[in-house]
Amino acid sequence: IRGISPALVQPLMRSVMEAPFPALGRTITVKNFLPGSGTEVIELRRPLDSRLEHVDFESLFSSLSIRHLSRVFASLLLERRVIFIADKLSTLSKCCHAMVALLYPFTWQHTYIPVLPPSMIDIVCSPTPFLIGLLTSSLPRLKELPVEEVLVVDLVNNRFLRQMEDEDSILPRKLQAALEHILEQRNELASDKEEKSSPLNEVVSEAFVRFFVEIMGHYSLFLTSSEREERTLQREAFRKSVSSKSLRRFLEVFMETQMFGGFIQERELRKQGVKGLFEVRAQEYLETLPSGEQSGVNKFLKGLGSKMKFLHKK
């Protein structure tokens, strides 16, 4: 429109601003006047789930093995300190961004600097959780600093330069194995011959959402409303309802994180309930459970391995 005449831009922007803000997946129509051809109607649709629009999981997989990726993921879930090292700015920013996207429906609540300028490297001495990206050129300086309890991930050579040594035992073992199994098959699932191809981003996102559904999918059963209509999570009952001992152990630690706190608080405060991909999958999951069973029996492989059927229930 600017190409036709800059003067036409303002009336168009005004009509966009005056239109009501659309709900997820909804469309608004905007009228726009063009000299010579009259009024055209433009439809603008807000995506149902726009989380992955600018996420590039491919760079993460080309930099890290599945095994290393799941250990970094586990460390972030416990809100530890993680440093990514790479020789390109683009690798750092893409990998940091993708890693944070994998935490959905949770949000990283702490320091997040995908590319840390060398002049600010002292930030890595902070005692609080962080996810920070550093260029390889900063490595000598990093080695001189008194950094404690940190996972340093070399994205160039797919290795850990420093670690806590317990990264492999954070996640419940069966769920971790199932998640890694699906990620190993991501390319076949993404180009499933029987049905329309599902882009890699969707396959990877669904795998991690499914992981969280197994851990947390039953949380809504333990959100109780008081007389004043305030919703509260019955935390102890929620944790104890899980039959797997390793899952209960993981929840005990995970429920202390700010990530978990933020997730639950958002849901306690909302009267209508949250409607996103996670909630949809959690509801589907609850409907498949035998009555009286509220715990994550490991249906992970069945749920995901059946050629990602739910990806195509658009």
Side-chain angles (χ1 to χ4, degrees), residues 63-223:
S63 303
L64 287 180
S65 65
I66 303 296
R67 201 66 193 276
H68 279 121
L69 177 65
S70 72
R71 289 173 185 178
V72 176
F73 173 66
S75 300
L76 289 177
L77 282 188
L78 296 197
E79 298 185 328
R80 292 184 170 182
R81 291 184 279 282
V82 177
I83 298 175
F84 277 176
I85 307 278
D87 49 4
K88 291 199 194 87
L89 291 174
S90 59
T91 307
L92 280 181
S93 57
K94 282 176 185 173
C95 289
C96 285
H97 196 43
M99 207 65 231
V100 168
L102 293 180
L103 299 173
Y104 170 83
F106 299 92
T107 310
W108 181 250
Q109 306 274 347
H110 301 277
T111 303
Y112 172 61
I113 312 174
V115 180
L116 183 68
S119 59
M120 296 169 69
I121 195 169
D122 289 359
I123 287 178
V124 301
C125 301
S126 155
T128 55
F130 56 67
L131 172 57
I132 283 175
L134 277 179
L135 284 171
T136 319
S137 52
S138 298
L139 209 45
R141 178 82 183 99
L142 178 67
K143 287 175 178 165
E144 294 167 4
L145 292 170
V147 186
E148 288 179 22
E149 298 188 340
V150 66
L151 176 64
V152 180
V153 185
D154 178 353
L155 296 171
V156 181
N157 302 299
N158 178 34
R159 59 182 180 164
F160 293 159
L161 301 178
R162 282 180 69 171
Q163 62 192 102
M164 310 263 290
E165 304 297 345
D166 67 344
E167 286 85 358
D168 211 24
S169 56
I170 294 172
L171 301 177
R173 198 169 44 82
K174 283 184 181 172
L175 281 183
Q176 181 172 352
L179 178 64
E180 289 177 2
H181 178 71
I182 291 301
L183 295 176
E184 298 286 0
Q185 299 179 15
R186 66 190 181 280
N187 291 329
E188 297 88 271
L189 291 167
S191 57
D192 193 343
K193 300 290 180 288
E194 299 158 36
E195 310 180 49
K196 299 194 297 288
S197 69
S198 320
L200 178 77
N201 272 16
E202 218 169 328
V203 171
V204 173
S205 168
E206 287 281 1
F208 281 89
V209 166
R210 180 73 201 187
F211 171 86
F212 284 122
V213 164
E214 289 286 336
I215 288 172
M216 298 273 307
H218 61 303
Y219 84 91
S220 59
L221 303 173
F222 295 90
L223 271 183

Side-chain angles (χ1 to χ4, degrees), residues 25-37:
R26 298 293 173 156
T27 303
I28 54 168
T29 52
V30 175
K31 289 186 175 155
N32 180 48
F33 176 73
L34 290 177
S37 52

Side-chain angles (χ1 to χ4, degrees), residues 244-299:
S244 149
K245 200 183 280 181
S246 65
L247 194 39
R248 273 202 308 275
R249 265 202 310 271
F250 171 75
L251 273 176
E252 209 167 319
V253 190
F254 183 54
M255 285 169 72
E256 295 305 314
T257 63
Q258 285 190 28
M259 243 183 317
F260 181 88
F263 171 89
I264 291 302
Q265 188 181 23
E266 187 186 352
R267 280 143 183 85
E268 287 175 338
L269 294 173
R270 288 210 188 177
K271 289 193 168 59
Q272 282 79 36
V274 182
K275 278 285 171 277
L277 177 67
F278 176 76
E279 258 63 31
V280 172
R281 295 290 175 247
Q283 193 50 48
E284 289 171 0
Y285 167 77
L286 288 178
E287 286 162 11
T288 65
L289 291 181
S291 55
E293 184 185 344
Q294 298 154 346
S295 57
V297 203
N298 191 6
K299 296 199 202 64

